[in-house]
Amino acid sequence: MGSTSDKISGKANELTGKAKQAVGDATDNHSLEAKGAAQEAKGHGQQAKGEAKDAVKNVVDKA
């Protein structure tokens, strides 16, 4: 995946995870809240991966 794809997937996972947490909280479904938190964390990781790819590309482009 390219850096942009990683960032987009990451943002989508973050938003979906937050929504799952909100629904889980509203319905007192702790399992759904936990799954949402995990998905949000996955999204943060994907975005960080995309940022790292951009940073490496910028360094290589300057060399």
Side-chain angles (χ1 to χ4, degrees):
M1 242 191 242
S3 64
T4 303
S5 297
D6 287 329
K7 290 183 209 175
I8 291 170
S9 295
K11 189 52 119 174
N13 275 318
E14 282 182 29
L15 294 174
T16 302
K18 285 181 183 184
K20 283 182 181 179
Q21 288 178 70
V23 171
D25 185 43
T27 61
D28 203 30
N29 183 336
H30 300 292
S31 175
L32 187 58
E33 282 184 81
K35 288 178 184 175
Q39 189 166 2
E40 184 178 0
K42 177 182 175 182
H44 287 297
Q46 286 173 313
Q47 285 200 353
K49 181 179 175 183
E51 294 295 333
K53 284 181 180 179
D54 280 345
V56 168
K57 183 181 181 311
N58 288 337
V59 168
V60 170
D61 287 346
K62 289 181 182 179

